[in-house]
Amino acid sequence: MASLPVEILLGIYLGLLVGIIPALVSWGLAFAFKYFTDVTLPGFGMAVLAIALAGVNGGLLALADKSITQAPNAERVVTAIIVVTMASMYAHSKGDQMGAEFPRRLSLEKLRSRTLSTDVIDLVGGRREATVRVVGEVADMEGYPPLPEDLRAEIRGSEWPFPADLRIAELEERLADRLLTEYDLGDASVTVDERGRATVVAAPPFSGLSKRIEDDRHAVSVDAVLPTGLARGDEVTLITADAQVRGTVVSARSGDGSAKPVDAEPAETLDGPDVDGAEKPPAPVRAPTTDGGEGRLTAAVHRTDAQPLVRAAQAKVVVESRGTRREYELVSLLRRADVRFRKVTVGANAPVAGERLGEASLRETYGVGAFAVRKSGGWVVAPGDDDVVEAGEEVYAVGARDALDAFEEAVA
């Protein structure tokens, strides 16, 4: 057996040798918890964890174990335990200190609510607006037929304006909805980065014209003089020699076909230098419209109004005003008051599932109000306190963004 000073030196050597990894673990855990959650881990707990990681049986109980304290190399083992404990506690202290002093650029909440970089935000009409641009190749969605090349080219390189204060997750949802609506896609998945660059995976339309026709309506095509700016979805009155028929535009084409139709946009030119070497600016996205003049229009009309249009050689087109869209005014008023609304699907284990809204106390508990509930049998608008919310139903809630986030996390 070596002398006591030698045993102590060997114990220090052994403690440093086996304590490196436990000390790194202690530092990493202390730094991560302090940086992301502002919580300080207990130093004694980290020391126990470090000794356990160092492989000493029983952790701190080794100090009271006679088989260790009375062993020939007891001084060496005890010294190693003390060194590992001190190293881990020192590393824990430094990690906690660095986590508190390190610049806070990330947090768990921020990771969930990332927004676009300020570099891609512009001031348009007095409000902050961001443009999301589809980049790269539009990929085919697994399990679906491939996209037609002309449709893939239309989506590729397109640009979409959105409010600048939306989270990236909301931008992805909204852009996917816009793509589904604009191009009649069967399905779409969108990923947006902080630079406003969107990667799209899409499925082709499941059907063509029939997808745009409502129940109890027929699509009829007529030759007519089309006004400039006619777009899909416009309400029109078609005047023939026999009748006046109201309908909704589903497709139109001006002239001899060289003008762009309202149901599709030409593919945008990909980025790249022009013939003179100048960079081409991206074309703005506008609703596809007609150029006016002689053309052909397809409208969705009631079944009883289809025959007069079929018999007519030509029709006159009168575009009707849709009036003021009050729902958009409501959305603007809510946004100016820093109030949002969101659709939340109630989960099976949600605390509000199976309860009456009065008992759930949404406003007192979550700070939100329910203005509509979508059930399997239809809608319940402005539900009362006696209305019951079941699992799987959709609650349309209104409130501040933080309150909506907490409500969605609690009931989804």
Side-chain angles (χ1 to χ4, degrees):
M1 177 180 174
S3 62
L4 179 60
V6 174
E7 289 291 335
I8 292 177
L9 290 176
L10 291 176
I12 294 174
Y13 168 75
L14 179 63
L16 293 175
L17 187 64
V18 301
I20 294 177
I21 300 300
L24 289 177
V25 172
S26 299
W27 176 88
L29 289 175
F31 176 82
F33 270 80
K34 191 65 176 181
Y35 184 77
F36 288 109
T37 66
D38 202 26
V39 173
T40 299
L41 293 177
F44 180 75
M46 297 304 300
V48 173
L49 176 63
I51 294 175
L53 292 176
V56 178
N57 293 330
L60 291 178
L61 294 179
L63 296 174
D65 191 345
K66 292 184 178 181
S67 62
I68 292 179
T69 56
Q70 296 181 3
N73 58 348
E75 295 84 357
R76 183 186 310 176
V77 175
V78 172
T79 303
I81 293 175
I82 295 174
V83 170
V84 171
T85 303
M86 294 176 61
S88 65
M89 296 188 71
Y90 177 80
H92 163 266
S93 175
K94 287 299 180 181
D96 187 77
Q97 180 182 354
M98 291 183 64
E101 297 176 353
F102 206 74
R104 297 293 182 90
R105 298 188 180 184
L106 291 175
S107 67
L108 294 179
E109 180 63 25
K110 289 182 179 180
L111 289 175
R112 292 192 305 167
S113 58
R114 292 183 305 140
T115 56
L116 295 177
S117 171
T118 55
D119 297 339
V120 299
I121 296 176
D122 300 317
L123 192 64
V124 179
R127 64 191 181 110
R128 298 168 72 245
E129 187 176 274
T131 300
V132 178
R133 187 171 188 273
V134 179
V135 298
E137 191 67 23
V138 179
D140 295 321
M141 185 167 288
E142 186 177 359
Y144 294 92
L147 284 172
E149 290 304 320
D150 56 344
L151 181 58
R152 193 190 308 272
E154 289 180 35
I155 300 174
R156 183 177 56 236
S158 59
E159 295 183 349
W160 308 86
F162 291 100
D165 59 346
L166 291 178
R167 296 179 301 172
I168 289 182
E170 293 178 299
L171 286 173
E172 294 172 345
E173 294 178 2
R174 291 200 183 189
L175 181 53
D177 291 339
R178 293 278 294 273
L179 292 173
L180 292 174
T181 303
E182 185 69 26
Y183 299 106
D184 293 327
L185 298 175
D187 198 0
S189 176
V190 177
T191 303
V192 180
D193 64 11
E194 294 182 352
R195 302 291 301 174
R197 296 171 295 194
T199 304
V200 176
V201 179
F206 297 145
S207 59
L209 181 61
S210 61
K211 185 178 180 180
R212 307 178 204 149
I213 307 301
E214 299 177 359
D215 293 340
D216 196 35
R217 293 216 167 193
H218 289 174
V220 180
S221 297
V222 294
D223 293 326
V225 177
L226 304 180
T228 302
L230 186 66
R232 189 176 71 200
D234 283 341
E235 299 291 336
V236 296
T237 297
L238 302 175
I239 303 174
T240 67
D242 300 330
Q244 294 186 9
V245 177
R246 295 188 61 187
T248 304
V249 177
V250 293
S251 178
R253 186 181 294 272
S254 302
D256 57 359
S258 58
K260 65 179 181 180
V262 304
D263 56 345
E265 288 185 19
E268 295 183 8
T269 305
L270 299 179
D271 286 345
D274 206 345
V275 291
D276 57 357
E279 194 75 16
K280 294 183 180 179
V285 174
R286 297 188 298 270
T289 60
T290 57
D291 293 334
E294 295 284 346
R296 192 163 181 82
L297 176 146
T298 300
V301 299
H302 288 289
R303 184 180 306 173
T304 56
D305 297 330
Q307 288 300 324
L309 292 181
V310 172
R311 292 193 300 264
Q314 194 170 24
K316 297 180 180 179
V317 179
V318 178
V319 180
E320 299 182 5
S321 172
R322 286 187 172 184
T324 304
R325 303 301 297 270
R326 298 297 182 186
E327 61 270 28
Y328 295 142
E329 289 187 1
L330 174 61
V331 172
S332 298
L333 289 174
L334 290 174
R335 295 188 67 84
R336 284 198 290 271
D338 199 24
V339 176
R340 305 290 189 270
F341 57 90
R342 187 177 304 174
K343 176 183 69 175
V344 178
T345 302
V346 179
N349 299 322
V352 300
E355 289 191 3
R356 295 185 303 170
L357 288 177
E359 298 173 349
S361 302
L362 299 185
R363 191 167 298 279
E364 291 76 10
T365 306
Y366 305 103
V368 301
F371 63 86
V373 179
R374 187 174 186 177
K375 297 178 175 291
S376 58
W379 287 88
V380 177
V381 181
D385 290 343
D386 294 332
D387 288 305
V388 179
V389 179
E390 301 291 348
E393 295 178 348
E394 295 176 347
V395 176
Y396 287 75
V398 60
R401 180 180 298 173
D402 294 340
L404 289 173
D405 291 340
F407 176 67
E408 184 176 14
E409 184 177 352
V411 306

